Amino acid sequence: MYIAQAYKGLSDSWRYVLGLLVVFVFWQVIGGIPLIAALLVKADSLEVLGSGDMGVMADILGANTLLFYMLLTFAIGLISLFAYVKIVHKQTVTELTTSRRKIDYKRIFFAFAIWALISAAFIFVGIALAPEDYEFNFKVGPFVILAIISILMMPIQTSMEEYYMRGYMMQGLGIIAKNRWLPLMVTSLLFGLMHIFNPEVTKLGYGILIFYIGTGFFLGIITLMDEGLELALGFHAANNIISALLVTADWTAFQTDSLYRDVSDPVLGWDVLVPVFVVYPILLYIFSKKYNWSNWKDRLTGDVPSEEIFLALQNDNSDLQRPS
């Protein structure tokens, strides 16, 4: 009953509406102030920020410095989200994360490991099949700094997105709508659409949104089926860390000192469809066998109990667990 964990705190609708707005302001507005200040110091103008040209900003600040400031916005957003949940909802981070008694870090590491291996394999296969499309870009100093920033801060970035979308928003929508299918649909679509301003979309077209929205549905499904965010947290962190470390391009959201640089003229191809329609279903099968998932229809589309029923069930379970 992951969504119903919201009942363990103060779950009035207005708290969620206000929370989504407040946290968004801290994340996207206040969180961006350090980046704006750094650009003003270096460029004496905010025109480059208004243009959204990541390549130019990377040239001004340096790729690793720009990456740090971009990830810092997510750190500020995550701190504000945890603080709001604690102060306004009186809910713990554990209850925002999982329906289990404590956060299952083994689940996080398992999802991280399996997707890190798969995504790295995809990248190296792509390089082997079309070596002319890639340029070896390894520089010891910048790469070490990139690795440190990625390992320390990218999990914060991906966690912010997961906690905001598939944590806070999913719980809030679920207890308001009293069902699971609406929060699954809304958060998955919003997750995809929030990438619409990424330079990848400009370069490849709106077809790339199939990948983003498909990934949103995959992450939403594993969250509801597993009754917690742990698998989504691990998967998302692996995806971004491996991408940042191994391959960069002039048309991607993150400009990094990666191991390789993609110098090809990008086209929308099979690499967008295969993860969504082949790899993700295989991962769902693996997770379902490992964690004994069942009752898919009810977990993904069923009703969310009322607060009174949920708390009564919690009390009954507590009584059963007390020694006689």
Side-chain angles (χ1 to χ4, degrees):
M1 292 193 178
Y2 172 64
I3 289 177
Q5 296 300 302
Y7 291 135
K8 293 183 176 180
L10 301 176
S11 55
D12 310 89
S13 300
W14 68 265
R15 298 177 194 270
Y16 282 98
V17 174
L18 180 62
L20 290 171
L21 293 173
V22 168
V23 173
F24 187 83
V25 169
F26 272 90
W27 175 16
Q28 295 293 325
V29 180
I30 296 175
I33 292 175
L35 174 58
I36 294 172
L39 285 170
L40 275 175
V41 170
K42 290 282 189 177
D44 297 324
S45 171
L46 288 181
E47 289 184 10
V48 62
L49 186 63
S51 71
D53 193 322
M54 303 303 297
V56 174
M57 285 190 274
D59 289 339
I60 293 172
L61 295 176
N64 284 328
T65 303
L66 175 61
L67 179 64
F68 171 81
Y69 280 117
M70 289 178 66
L71 296 179
L72 184 61
T73 66
F74 292 89
I76 293 171
L78 188 61
I79 291 170
S80 69
L81 176 58
F82 286 169
Y84 187 90
V85 166
K86 180 69 174 178
I87 295 168
V88 178
H89 289 275
K90 309 297 182 184
Q91 185 185 20
T92 67
V93 173
T94 299
E95 291 161 355
L96 184 63
T97 307
T98 186
S99 60
R100 286 167 274 277
R101 291 184 177 275
K102 58 183 181 180
I103 298 171
D104 189 344
Y105 290 99
K106 289 183 179 180
R107 275 174 155 83
I108 296 176
F109 292 131
F110 177 74
F112 182 97
I114 193 170
W115 187 242
L117 290 172
I118 292 172
S119 57
F122 267 105
I123 290 171
F124 284 120
V125 167
I127 294 172
L129 292 176
E132 69 279 3
D133 290 343
Y134 297 89
E135 180 181 274
F136 192 60
N137 190 52
F138 179 68
K139 303 179 187 69
V140 176
F143 185 80
V144 169
I145 295 171
L146 169 64
I148 293 171
I149 294 173
S150 298
I151 292 169
L152 293 180
M153 295 195 68
M154 282 221 168
I156 296 174
Q157 177 246 327
T158 55
S159 294
M160 173 56 196
E161 293 185 4
E162 291 305 313
Y163 276 108
Y164 188 76
M165 302 290 293
R166 270 163 292 277
Y168 190 69
M169 188 181 294
M170 181 170 279
Q171 286 189 349
L173 283 172
I175 62 172
I176 292 171
K178 294 294 187 292
N179 63 54
R180 294 176 173 88
W181 67 265
L182 182 66
L184 174 61
M185 292 288 293
V186 171
T187 58
S188 301
L189 289 171
L190 283 179
F191 179 78
L193 292 175
M194 78 178 188
H195 293 85
I196 201 168
F197 298 110
N198 280 19
E200 294 95 328
V201 177
T202 303
K203 192 73 174 179
L204 296 172
Y206 292 114
I208 188 67
L209 293 178
I210 294 173
F211 172 75
Y212 291 127
I213 294 174
T215 300
F217 272 103
F218 170 74
L219 293 170
I221 289 169
I222 63 176
T223 296
L224 290 178
M225 289 304 303
D226 201 48
E227 299 289 3
L229 274 178
E230 291 98 333
L231 295 177
L233 289 169
F235 175 96
H236 202 161
N239 185 76
N240 287 28
I241 290 174
I242 294 300
S243 297
L245 290 177
L246 295 187
V247 180
T248 190
D250 294 336
W251 44 270
T252 57
F254 287 143
Q255 303 287 311
T256 62
D257 292 305
S258 304
L259 197 61
Y260 288 90
R261 178 173 292 276
D262 186 342
V263 295
S264 66
D265 187 17
V267 293
L268 197 66
W270 64 269
D271 52 329
V272 172
L273 302 177
V274 169
V276 175
F277 296 107
V278 179
V279 181
Y280 291 170
I282 292 173
L283 281 176
L284 286 176
Y285 177 79
I286 293 172
F287 288 147
S288 69
K289 291 301 181 182
K290 181 172 177 61
Y291 298 113
N292 299 314
W293 293 348
S294 60
N295 199 13
W296 288 67
K297 182 178 178 180
D298 185 59
R299 290 196 186 192
L300 296 180
T301 65
D303 294 333
V304 173
S306 67
E307 183 173 5
E308 293 77 12
I309 292 174
F310 173 76
L311 294 178
L313 290 171
Q314 292 292 299
N315 290 332
D316 290 344
N317 289 336
S318 297
D319 290 338
L320 290 173
Q321 291 168 4
R322 292 193 190 104
S324 57

